Amino acid sequence: YTLSLHDALPISAVKMSDGIVVDATPPAGVQCSGNSATNLVKNAGLESGNSWSLKGRAAISPSTDPDGKNSASLPESGSSISQQIATQPGAMYRVAFSARVDTANEDITGASAGLLSVGPETFPFVAKRARADPTPQWREFEFQFVADSKQTEVFFAASKHANYMPDLLLNDVAVQLCSSTAATTVAVHAGPAFQSSLNTIAAQWGVQDLESGIVDSMWAVGTVDGGEQVAAYTSVGRRTHASASGLPLVHGEKLFVSVVTRNGAGLLTKLSSTPVTIDHTPPVIGRVLTGGAYQFQATSVSVQFPQAADPESGLEACEVAVGHSPDNHDVVKFTQMDGVAKAVAVKFPANKVVDRDTIYVTVRCSNNAGLASTAHSGSILILAKPPSSKGVALTILAASQKTVPP
């Protein structure tokens, strides 16, 4: 605007303001498109310890996976790896990495808790439970942050958690500059569609306002879109993520995370996640059927578990193992079936099972919330050879002299 000042003379002084920005549009949900940008992390595949600072018992370990990749091992709380990268203050970045539980012990069915600290943000995460076949067990994570300096530390640590074990493995770390585009799907991400958490929900969202900027965001958790039945709307300032613990998460309930953002002009936008289903119970496997207590060959066993089901989140996968006792898998280690198979034939390695052995079949199934359960068959006696006739004596008895009445 222009301000004119007049005095007694017909001369005026003109003063000009710096101008104002007229913002008539509310904040917009955005998504980060950074997959094709340059990875700012050096030695991203963790082929060695170069470029990374290792603390505690952190180490670079050769992988036993078929892909042969190395990984960073964080075996206990206090183990960490970190690296400094160059960033632009105010720019948004994407952080992506893979993590899983160390499967040195094939019977591990827990999970590993970890912590990512990058720029001004700290993100907790939980790696998926382990199976004997680790190939599909790498779980991919992705977070976003806005840099606040020209140098940013990317820091990973194993996190102590009452319900989870350590032995965390990391691989394929990437930090890339975002190119923000309008969100074509949902702009609020509340994690997997099925979750087993008893009391914690975390969410992350993408939002921007190019005219007047984002001033504040509030988030809530409810049983309906936009609701706050579980957690009331709470301000998190300009942050783009939040988490809450101590919540009354009910088994089988569907939850929505809603976010209301306000720009500098006071305009509001509401964003919501897709529903998240809470599942606190592992799958029900039921009876493990093998055809009976006796088997007359030593090359394979046929297994059925037709009652396996998970009504809340569905079966993700089932595995079968064979051993000489219910908790020993010394014949066939846990092997994942194609899809969720309910009837399979398990072949024995040569000379692992012989005549007169007693074996047991174990079935382990996991659901889409990451919970697992096991069930065992009854004992199976292998009778692979006919009875021996060695030492058998044949005696011919004299005919009976007695008359048998009709």
Side-chain angles (χ1 to χ4, degrees), residues 151-240:
Q151 287 288 321
T152 297
E153 182 182 46
V154 182
F155 176 89
F156 291 95
S159 179
K160 187 175 182 180
H161 192 293
N163 296 329
Y164 302 127
M165 61 199 313
D167 298 324
L168 178 67
L169 297 182
L170 299 171
N171 204 343
D172 297 330
V173 182
V175 179
Q176 297 164 299
L177 180 65
C178 284
S179 173
S180 296
T181 59
T184 55
T185 54
V186 293
V188 179
H189 303 279
F194 302 98
Q195 300 183 25
S196 59
S197 174
L198 299 175
N199 56 21
T200 301
I201 284 286
Q204 186 175 10
W205 53 91
V207 64
Q208 72 176 11
D209 192 290
L210 299 179
E211 292 79 21
S212 59
I214 302 298
V215 174
D216 185 54
S217 291
M218 299 185 298
W219 81 304
V221 183
T223 54
V224 296
D225 188 348
E228 49 184 331
Q229 295 84 358
V230 178
Y233 278 99
T234 303
S235 173
V236 294
R238 297 180 180 180
R239 301 177 80 92
T240 57

Side-chain angles (χ1 to χ4, degrees), residues 64 85 91 128 168 237 249 275 295 341 354:
T64 57
I85 61 172
K128 202 169 187 176
L168 178 67
L249 303 186
Q295 182 166 300
V354 297

Side-chain angles (χ1 to χ4, degrees), residues 235-270:
S235 173
V236 294
R238 297 180 180 180
R239 301 177 80 92
T240 57
H241 70 94
S243 64
S245 58
L247 302 178
L249 303 186
V250 179
H251 173 69
E253 198 169 47
K254 292 184 182 295
L255 302 179
F256 295 82
V257 174
S258 300
V259 177
V260 175
T261 62
R262 177 167 55 91
N263 66 11
L267 301 177
L268 304 176
T269 292
K270 183 184 78 68

Side-chain angles (χ1 to χ4, degrees), residues 25 35 267 289 321 327:
T25 58
N35 296 32
L267 301 177
L289 307 176
D327 295 314

